[in-house]
Amino acid sequence: MALALALLAAPTCAVSGPWHDDGPVAVRLVSPWLVAPRGAELALGLEVALDPGWHIYWLNSGDAGYPPRLDFGATPGLVTAELRFPVPHRYDLPGKLVAFGYGERVVYPVTLRGTFGDTPTLDVTGTVDYVVCAGECIPFTTHLELVQPFGETARPDAETQPQLAAWSSRVPTPAPEGTATGRLLERSDAGGTLEIAFAGLPEEPTDLFFAPHELVELGRPVALAVRGDDRGDRRHRFAVPFAWKVRPSGAPPELGLEWTLAFGESGWTGRTGVPLGAASAPATQPSGPITPTDPAPLTWPWRVVLAATALGLVWALWPRAKGGPRP
């Protein structure tokens, strides 16, 4: 691919791994440090460059694909490797399918933790298992490598450190406590509709995403009218359809949903429980106040009494000739 060849021909820093050309995509490891500070953590980035029209995935891939998976088990002294996900984009695909991910270029922040801080250099070695899609989906398992020097005096890379900082800023941050509330709008044996409401937002949200859930498949969120309370606080609301993946024998008391609310390229993340009510509640149970119905019709004996009374009043008040006989 022309894009990958151009990237492979470009000069690289000593602490950036080599580009690996996988056809419509090229991947590599990159460090923000020429010399990293000693410690138990090392921040890196998994950089991905894609041909036009191709995309790679977020932690919830949607209707196709799967997110990248790292294996750095061959790295000396490594304890854990955490791959973090920037706020994704939504891709509408043929057949009413949807995908969540990134196109053109993305840098996934990676945090390594271990006992390697006292070594002069660290040979980061591993693989990434991932899939990219356009008209078709292609899986890859690609070798990754990078040699990172450590020192008493850290030296940042003037080119890569700002890039990694920019992508790290796109990783959603935890939302303040009490930001989101959830309630059930309607439900049936097959699924239903939830409402997620957000308050105290710093700006207008642009999209809402959910992590995969073991019990339900969540549909496209639909923004509802913004409401304000007596204090003037605005609440942004989304209606979210859902369908049971595996219907439990008894409906759980609530669904715990992990969400990411996007504000353009940044976002908030959190977890909200949506009460489902008693498992034996009917599927048509109303979620709001019940509107009073018309009173029940009167039975026939009371109709007869009222009719007779009305006729008597009409007869008594009917005008007659003065002095005429009374019945």
Side-chain angles (χ1 to χ4, degrees), residues 38-318:
R38 297 191 184 279
E41 289 190 358
L42 175 63
L44 300 176
L46 174 65
E47 185 172 7
V48 181
L50 301 110
D51 274 353
W54 291 81
H55 57 265
I56 193 170
Y57 290 101
W58 183 55
L59 62 89
N60 181 356
S61 60
D63 294 318
Y66 52 83
R69 303 160 184 164
L70 294 176
D71 182 358
F72 285 145
T75 300
L78 181 69
V79 177
T80 62
E82 179 187 6
L83 181 74
R84 297 186 294 153
F85 294 85
V87 170
H89 298 281
R90 183 184 299 269
Y91 295 92
D92 291 309
L93 308 176
K96 296 183 179 180
L97 302 179
V98 64
F100 312 121
Y102 319 92
E104 298 183 1
R105 180 174 178 268
V106 60
V107 179
Y108 297 91
V110 178
T111 302
L112 304 185
R113 299 180 179 90
T115 59
F116 42 69
D118 294 333
T119 60
T121 60
L122 176 66
D123 293 329
V124 181
T125 304
T127 60
V128 57
D129 182 22
Y130 71 100
V131 62
V132 294
C133 294
E136 59 179 331
C137 292
I138 307 176
F140 297 98
T141 299
T142 301
H143 179 74
L144 298 172
E145 57 191 74
L146 179 146
V147 178
Q148 177 66 69
F150 290 93
E152 297 298 334
T153 302
R155 292 174 52 204
D157 186 300
E159 179 182 354
T160 59
Q161 189 175 66
Q163 294 174 356
L164 284 173
W167 282 101
S168 294
S169 69
R170 299 187 184 188
V171 175
T173 57
E177 189 73 22
T179 293
T181 56
R183 68 183 182 116
L184 181 69
L185 294 181
E186 59 180 2
R187 63 186 173 95
S188 67
D189 291 338
T193 304
L194 311 172
E195 180 188 282
I196 309 294
F198 299 91
L201 302 184
E203 56 185 286
E204 295 292 318
T206 54
D207 211 334
L208 176 62
F209 305 94
F210 293 95
H213 198 285
E214 61 180 1
L215 293 181
V216 294
E217 190 74 42
L218 297 164
R220 181 188 294 268
V222 177
L224 304 176
V226 178
R227 288 181 178 175
D229 59 19
D230 296 338
R231 298 173 298 177
D233 293 335
R234 290 159 54 85
R235 298 174 68 247
H236 293 79
R237 303 178 299 131
F238 292 86
V240 184
F242 72 92
W244 293 106
K245 288 181 179 178
V246 178
R247 177 72 186 201
S249 57
E254 71 171 27
L255 288 177
L257 304 180
E258 296 181 13
W259 48 264
T260 292
L261 187 65
F263 309 113
E265 299 293 350
S266 63
W268 282 357
T269 185
R271 187 182 188 279
T272 300
V274 181
L276 295 180
S280 60
T284 56
Q285 179 181 0
S287 58
I290 300 176
T291 303
T293 58
D294 291 331
L298 297 173
T299 54
W300 70 267
W302 292 105
R303 290 178 181 270
V304 172
V305 172
L306 289 177
T309 302
L311 288 174
L313 288 173
V314 170
W315 180 259
L317 297 176
W318 192 266

